[in-house]
Amino acid sequence: MQKRALIVGLGIAGMSAAIGLREAGWTPVIIERAPRRRTGGYFVNLMPEGMDAAAGLGLDDLHTRDPLRGTTWVLNRRGHRRPALSWLDLPGRPTAMVRGDVEAALWGKVAALRQGEGGVEVRLATVPVEIVEGDDAVEVLLEDASSGIRHRESFGLVIGADGLRSTVRRLAFGPHERFMTSWNAMICAFPLPAQAPSFGAQDSLISARTGRAVWVFGLADRAPTALLTYCTKDIDAQFTGDRTERLRAVFHDMGHPAVRHVLDALPQAPDHLFDSVHQVKMDRWSTGRVVLTGDAAWCLNLFSGMGTTAALRGGAELGRALREHPDDLGAALAAWEAGLRPFVATHQRMARVKHQWFVPTNRVLAGVRALVMRLAGNARRSSTEARLLRAAAPAPDGV
Ligand SMILES: Cc1cc2nc3c(=O)[nH]c(=O)nc-3n(C[C@H](O)[C@H](O)[C@H](O)COP(=O)(O)OP(=O)(O)OC[C@H]3O[C@@H](n4cnc5c(N)ncnc54)[C@H](O)[C@@H]3O)c2cc1C
């Protein structure tokens, strides 16, 4: 069996798969549509399963940014603030970072694996145009995106790690509409140049109304990142006209100066992400010698808070399955999918619940959410005050 694999996409899923495959004795060739590797990015949290996968892939220098000196505040219409539960208080011990931190750690490992015979090859500005499955190999028509020059190459395995609107999925499985479910929601995510005035550098801020919300994620070692999200039934219309003006129109009446600070920062963030929210649901993640991983296969979406964890697990476990079934690709892919599917199915369901945490979609849920936030915030404040009082109290005699 030819053990040379094409991996489409230089994101978290693609680089994880390349490391996993290399360790299973395969020679990975990664192609990436963009002319250069992207850096930076928005806040992501990594769950323990993701940390374990990262350790399994040998990512020793993963930079984490838990905001240990920050408070999470809910902002109300009148410009007041009250402490609240943070995203990182949710069950499961999440760790905070930005997407670029995970990608930088993966890139460090991929760069080390590029050396020598059989090392990982990386080709930028390259896309797949056609995928034809043969008996012993997959023939792929590749295009150099800068020159338009095309050539054919054959691989023992093709891995689509090319994100939500995956070209590999479209070429090998069918049109996007068959697999992408719209959540009637939009997001805009970008790094802020500085924290909102009058807040601590690592504070997080939440301003939510029915159907729209602004989040600022405070982080250690860097300025916060912002996330704007709103519900809409007319997704196509959101991609027309001036984006900044559209977002101003949606959020301008939220009242708090911190929201204005976020909106004012948007025009200075040319690399901001603006997109619609979807989940990807497929009955199978592989067909013959073509397999999908990460958002291309199962996009859990940002509301799940599990996409990074799942993408890392996808690559790490694909490598393990190929090691355990070195001469039977079908058995390896079946074992990989059977191992991951329950995890993905659970978190696709959980994302619906977590969505309400990010942005309540109707008035009743908005009321329930506000009450939970208030109670949890009060409990949090009491425990913080008790801790401070204990720390300030004089030590008992003899201690
Ligand atoms: C705003 C936001 C917040 C998020 N927050 C969290 C969070 O808190 N926790 C969490 O776990 N997850 C979070 N996620 C999800 C997480 O970021 C993704 O699940 C994860 O990055 C997916 O990685 P991926 O490699 O599958 O896809 P992508 O990151 O989309 O990477 C795909 C790569 O493929 C390339 N590509 C695309 N098409 C082609 C082509 N035709 N040819 C060649 N290359 C191509 C792209 O340029 C890109 O480099 C968030 C997502 C968003 C948008």
Side-chain angles (χ1 to χ4, degrees):
M1 175 166 53
Q2 189 199 144
K3 291 208 170 177
R4 193 161 162 271
L6 177 71
I7 299 176
V8 183
L10 188 65
I12 296 171
M15 287 192 274
S16 303
I19 298 166
L21 258 73
R22 186 71 201 97
E23 271 152 24
W26 285 68
T27 301
V29 177
I30 309 180
I31 59 168
E32 164 59 45
R33 177 172 56 192
R36 66 190 74 85
R37 191 180 77 77
R38 67 185 173 186
T39 54
Y42 41 77
F43 162 90
V44 296
N45 61 20
L46 208 53
M47 300 306 275
E49 300 97 320
M51 290 299 239
D52 289 348
L57 290 167
L59 308 188
D60 306 324
D61 52 356
L62 184 55
H63 190 84
T64 60
R65 300 179 192 266
D66 283 349
L68 298 176
R69 291 201 311 279
T71 302
T72 295
W73 303 99
V74 167
L75 315 178
N76 72 14
R77 281 170 217 275
R78 289 183 296 281
H80 299 152
R81 62 178 84 169
R82 44 166 94 234
L85 269 196
S86 115
W87 179 248
L88 296 171
D89 291 322
L90 291 178
R93 285 188 292 118
T95 302
M97 56 199 78
V98 294
R99 193 198 61 219
D101 294 328
V102 187
E103 292 185 345
L106 286 162
W107 179 247
K109 180 80 185 184
V110 166
L113 294 174
R114 286 172 80 177
Q115 321 299 331
E117 180 124 344
V120 182
E121 189 186 334
V122 179
R123 301 181 200 162
L124 298 170
T126 307
V127 296
V129 177
E130 194 179 88
I131 297 176
V132 180
E133 176 113 20
D135 289 341
D136 304 321
V138 195
E139 190 147 294
V140 185
L141 180 62
L142 295 171
E143 181 177 287
D144 180 322
S146 49
S147 65
I149 294 172
R150 295 179 170 190
H151 76 281
R152 287 186 195 277
E153 234 175 288
S154 78
F155 299 91
L157 176 63
V158 171
I159 300 179
D162 46 349
L164 176 62
R165 294 179 182 81
S166 162
T167 302
V168 175
R169 191 181 64 226
R170 182 171 54 74
L171 294 173
F173 293 83
H176 293 326
E177 308 79 67
R178 202 187 294 169
F179 307 111
M180 285 170 61
T181 316
S182 172
W183 277 35
N184 296 327
M186 299 295 297
I187 47 157
C188 181
F190 54 97
L192 290 174
Q195 177 62 282
S198 87
F199 289 92
Q202 298 185 18
D203 285 357
S204 291
L205 322 176
I206 308 165
S207 180
R209 307 277 181 274
T210 304
R212 59 209 167 112
V214 176
W215 286 67
V216 170
F217 297 100
L219 294 161
D221 304 339
R222 55 160 289 155
T225 73
L227 173 72
L228 307 172
T229 175
Y230 61 98
C231 301
T232 173
K233 291 228 162 58
D234 191 355
I235 295 291
D236 290 344
Q238 310 310 308
F239 292 98
T240 61
D242 184 276
R243 205 170 275 178
T244 307
E245 288 313 311
R246 181 172 290 282
L247 288 163
R248 276 193 194 286
V250 174
F251 292 100
H252 78 281
D253 64 337
M254 289 192 42
H256 200 284
V259 174
R260 282 200 295 282
H261 173 80
V262 171
L263 289 171
D264 289 345
L266 178 60
Q268 276 87 55
D271 288 343
H272 66 259
L273 173 88
F274 179 77
D275 205 355
S276 46
V277 180
H278 304 261
Q279 268 189 347
V280 170
K281 293 197 171 167
M282 306 184 74
D283 294 336
R284 291 200 58 184
W285 295 327
S286 66
T287 171
R289 292 175 176 275
V290 182
V291 61
L292 303 173
T293 183
D295 281 6
W298 53 67
C299 182
L300 304 168
N301 82 33
L302 78 152
F303 298 127
S304 79
M306 295 299 290
T308 306
T309 292
L312 285 165
R313 275 195 69 178
E317 292 181 24
L318 186 56
R320 183 175 332 129
L322 290 168
R323 275 200 308 276
E324 287 171 2
H325 303 273
D327 303 315
D328 188 343
L329 184 61
L333 296 181
W336 171 75
E337 181 161 340
L340 263 184
R341 214 168 244 289
F343 174 83
V344 165
T346 300
H347 289 291
Q348 285 197 324
R349 282 195 300 274
M350 287 296 293
R352 285 282 178 199
V353 180
K354 291 181 180 173
H355 184 193
Q356 299 300 326
W357 173 260
F358 267 106
V359 51
T361 51
N362 65 47
R363 278 175 189 280
V364 177
L365 289 168
V368 173
R369 178 185 177 283
L371 184 65
V372 171
M373 287 284 234
R374 191 167 312 140
L375 293 175
N378 287 345
R380 190 161 216 269
R381 186 168 43 188
S382 312
S383 72
T384 307
E385 282 165 1
R387 189 159 42 81
L388 291 174
L389 281 172
R390 272 200 307 277
D397 287 349
V399 177

